[in-house]
C-alpha cells in the first residue's frame, strides 16, 4: 500500500513509497501497488503549468487543507489538471496531491485516513461498500469502454478468446481489470474457475507477461499499453466495448463529507473547471496527460477517443454499481451478501449545488 506522500499546493507529487511483496506468482491474494511515475516529470508538469494561468482565490483568508489521492492514468486527468492549472487554489483550497499506481490504492488511502478524497474506478468503490466501508461517491469524472483489455501471448496458443481456457491471467484483485476479466470470460462462455487468475500489482503486469509468468493480463491504461509494447507482434489484444463501461469516480468518507460540505463543493467546482479546460484545450490536455503518465503524445492522441470526461451523477452509474455488486456477491469478494441501496452511498447535494443539471440519477 503506498504510504501517503504529499507536498503543498502548486508543488508536484513527490511519489510514494511502497511496501513490496516478494516477486512471484500469487493466487488471488492482497496486493500492493508500486508507483512508477517519474517525480521529475511531474514536477515539471505541475510547476510549469500552474504558473501559466491562475485566477484570484475564491475566498480570502486561510485555505482549507485537503489531500487528494489519485492514480497516474488517463482516468484521473481532471484531478491532475485541477492541480496543474491551480483550480483548487482558485477555490480557496490548499490541496496536496497524493499519487498512487491504482484507483484501488487511492481509495484505500481515504478509507485508512491517509487522504481526504480519492479518484478510483467503480469496482473498488463497490467492493468497499460491500465490505461495509462508510464512503460516499461525490461524482463520476470519466467513463470509458476501452480503458481495459486483455493482452495475451500468441506463442501460448492464444489467438481468440476461447483460447484463454486453462491459461494463467494476471489481474489486480478488486479492480476494474478484475471485473473486466470476469465480464469478458462470461461473454465468451467461460467462467473464472476455468482459468487461473494470478494476483499481480498493476506495474508488474508487463514484466510478468513478457517473461512468461502469466499467459495473459487483464489491465488498464497505461499498464495495458506497456503490456502491448512488451509483446509487440507476438501479442494479441482483446477489448470488450459492449461488455463494460468503466466509471471513474471521486469518493470520500461519510464523516469527511458531513464535516466538510463546503470543501466538497469547492473540489467539485475545481473539477468542473478542469472539465471545461479539457473541452476547450485538447492539445494542451494531451500534452499534460502524456507527460503525467509517461506515454508518447502520439499514443495519447490515438487513444483519446476512448475517454469521456464529464463531472456528473448519471443513472448508468447506479446500474453499474448494482451489476458489479452481483459479481461481488456471486464470487464472495466481500463480507456483505445482500444488495445495498446505493442511493445511500452517493452524495447528491454537493454536485447539485454547483451544477444541478449534472445530476440525473432518479431518486
Amino acid at each position: 500500500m503506498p504510504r501517503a506522500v504529499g507536498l503543498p499546493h502548486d508543488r508536484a507529487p513527490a511519489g510514494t513509497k511502497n511496501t513490496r511483496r516478494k516477486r512471484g506468482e500469487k493466487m488471488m491474494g492482497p496486493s500492493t501497488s508500486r508507483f512508477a511515475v517519474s517525480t521529475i516529470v511531474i514536477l515539471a508538469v505541475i510547476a510549469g503549468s500552474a504558473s501559466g494561468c491562475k485566477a484570484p482565490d475564491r475566498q480570502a483568508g486561510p485555505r482549507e487543507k485537503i489531500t487528494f489521492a489519485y492514480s497516474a492514468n488517463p482516468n484521473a486527468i481532471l484531478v491532475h489538471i485541477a492541480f496543474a492549472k491551480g483550480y483548487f487554489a482558485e477555490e480557496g483550497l490548499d490541496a496536496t496531491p497524493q499519487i498512487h499506481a491504482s484507483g484501488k490504492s487511492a481509495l484505500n488511502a481515504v478509507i485508512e485516513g491517509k487522504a481526504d478524497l480519492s479518484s478510483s474506478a467503480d469496482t473498488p468503490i463497490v467492493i468497499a461498500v460491500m465490505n461495509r466501508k462508510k464512503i460516499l461517491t461525490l461524482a463520476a469524472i470519466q467513463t470509458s469502454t476501452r480503458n481495459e483489455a486483455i493482452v495475451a501471448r500468441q506463442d501460448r496458443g492464444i489467438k481468440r478468446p476461447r483460447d484463454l481456457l486453462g491459461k494463467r491471467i494476471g489481474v489486480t484483485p478488486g479492480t476494474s481489470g478484475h471485473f473486466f476479466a470476469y465480464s469478458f470470460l462470461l461473454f465468451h462462455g467461460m467462467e473464472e474457475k476455468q482459468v487461473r487468475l494470478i494476483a499481480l500489482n498493476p506495474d508488474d503486469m508487463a514484466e510478468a507477461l513478457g517473461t512468461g509468468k502469466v499467459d495473459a493480463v487483464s489491465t488498464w491504461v497505461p499498464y495495458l499499453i506497456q503490456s502491448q509494447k512488451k509483446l509487440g507482434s507476438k501479442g494479441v489484444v482483446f477489448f470488450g466495448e459492449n461488455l463494460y463501461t468503466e466509471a471513474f469516480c471521486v469518493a470520500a468518507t461519510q464523516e469527511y463529507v458531513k464535516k466538510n460540505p463546503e470543501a466538497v463543493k469547492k473540489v467539485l467546482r475545481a473539477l468542473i473547471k478542469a472539465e471545461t479546460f479539457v473541452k476547450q484545450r485538447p492539445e494542451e490536455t494531451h500534452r499534460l496527460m502524456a507527460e503525467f503518465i509517461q506515454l508518447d503524445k502520439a499514443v495519447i492522441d490515438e487513444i483519446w477517443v476512448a475517454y469521456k470526461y464529464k463531472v456528473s451523477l448519471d443513472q448508468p452509474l447506479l446500474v453499474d454499481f448494482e451489476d458489479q455488486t452481483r459479481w461481488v456477491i456471486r464470487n464472495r469478494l466481500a463480507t456483505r451478501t445482500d444488495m445495498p441501496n446505493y442511493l445511500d452511498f452517493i452524495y447528491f447535494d454537493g454536485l447539485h449545488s454547483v451544477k444541478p443539471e449534472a445530476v440525473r440519477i432518479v431518486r
Side-chain angles (χ1 to χ4, degrees):
M1 177 73 197
R3 190 174 65 184
V5 173
L7 296 174
H9 178 74
D10 285 341
R11 293 176 59 191
T16 55
K17 293 184 179 179
N18 292 273
T19 302
R20 293 297 312 278
R21 294 180 182 271
K22 184 178 179 181
R23 282 188 181 274
E25 193 174 286
K26 304 183 185 69
M27 290 296 294
M28 294 304 295
S31 63
T32 57
S33 296
R34 177 160 55 93
F35 172 49
V37 176
S38 165
T39 301
I40 297 175
V41 171
I42 300 175
L43 276 166
V45 174
I46 295 185
S49 300
S51 63
C53 60
K54 281 195 176 185
D57 289 354
R58 176 174 286 271
Q59 63 178 33
R63 296 174 180 171
E64 297 176 73
K65 293 181 179 292
I66 66 165
T67 298
F68 205 133
Y70 63 107
S71 53
N73 57 53
N75 317 76
I77 196 62
L78 291 190
V79 183
H80 180 62
I81 287 174
F83 275 109
K85 307 309 292 185
Y87 295 148
F88 290 125
E90 287 180 14
E91 293 297 329
L93 295 171
D94 180 3
T96 297
Q98 187 186 102
I99 310 298
H100 293 258
S102 70
K104 175 186 175 183
S105 175
L107 180 62
N108 284 341
V110 165
I111 292 171
E112 294 169 5
K114 298 175 180 178
D116 301 311
L117 302 105
S118 69
S119 66
S120 77
D122 37 25
T123 308
I125 289 174
V126 167
I127 291 178
V129 170
M130 292 299 288
N131 277 324
R132 304 182 188 280
K133 304 301 182 184
K134 296 182 178 181
I135 62 171
L136 288 170
T137 294
L138 311 182
I141 57 174
Q142 176 268 339
T143 56
S144 177
T145 59
R146 286 179 66 88
N147 191 53
E148 287 82 13
I150 292 176
V151 185
R153 296 179 61 113
Q154 294 194 65
D155 61 355
R156 297 290 172 83
I158 305 172
K159 293 180 172 58
R160 57 192 181 93
R162 290 286 297 180
D163 295 333
L164 291 168
L165 279 170
K167 297 298 193 295
R168 294 177 299 173
I169 304 175
V171 301
T172 303
T175 64
S176 57
H178 187 186
F179 180 68
F180 178 81
Y182 160 80
S183 302
F184 186 86
L185 292 170
L186 186 65
F187 181 79
H188 291 283
M190 296 173 281
E191 297 183 16
E192 289 184 355
K193 64 183 179 182
Q194 294 178 289
V195 301
R196 293 184 65 193
L197 295 183
I198 308 299
L200 292 174
N201 297 325
D203 46 2
D204 287 336
M205 291 284 183
E207 181 183 352
L209 186 62
T211 59
K213 291 181 180 179
V214 293
D215 307 305
V217 296
S218 179
T219 189
W220 57 88
V221 178
Y223 311 108
L224 168 60
I225 294 175
Q226 293 171 5
S227 299
Q228 288 179 270
K229 288 183 175 180
K230 179 68 73 171
L231 294 185
S233 62
K234 298 178 182 178
V236 60
V237 183
F238 302 123
F239 287 96
E241 292 92 333
N242 298 321
L243 303 180
Y244 168 49
T245 299
E246 174 198 65
F248 217 72
C249 304
V250 175
T253 64
Q254 295 178 8
E255 181 181 8
Y256 178 83
V257 173
K258 182 178 180 180
K259 292 181 178 179
N260 302 278
E262 292 305 312
V264 169
K265 293 177 186 178
K266 293 173 184 178
V267 167
L268 292 172
R269 280 195 292 260
L271 293 173
I272 291 169
K273 289 180 179 179
E275 175 190 340
T276 300
F277 178 90
V278 167
K279 292 176 180 176
Q280 295 179 348
R281 305 179 71 173
E283 280 300 311
E284 187 173 353
T285 298
H286 292 196
R287 179 182 60 79
L288 286 169
M289 183 186 292
E291 292 170 340
F292 179 51
I293 65 177
Q294 293 189 295
L295 287 177
D296 292 338
K297 183 175 177 296
V299 175
I300 298 298
D301 293 342
E302 181 180 349
I303 68 174
W304 181 255
V305 69
Y307 300 94
K308 183 176 182 180
Y309 296 97
K310 182 178 68 170
V311 181
S312 66
L313 286 172
D314 290 330
Q315 191 69 23
L317 177 65
L318 192 61
V319 176
D320 175 37
F321 282 168
E322 292 175 350
D323 284 346
Q324 294 204 38
T325 298
R326 296 182 185 95
W327 165 66
V328 171
I329 293 172
R330 178 179 177 180
N331 291 276
R332 300 178 181 178
L333 299 178
T335 56
R336 285 187 68 159
T337 57
D338 62 313
M339 177 69 72
N341 182 356
Y342 278 99
L343 295 177
D344 296 333
F345 295 92
I346 297 174
Y347 182 63
F348 294 93
D349 292 350
L351 188 57
H352 188 269
S353 67
V354 299
K355 191 178 181 181
E357 67 272 19
V359 180
R360 300 185 186 88
I361 291 179
V362 178
R363 289 178 276 172

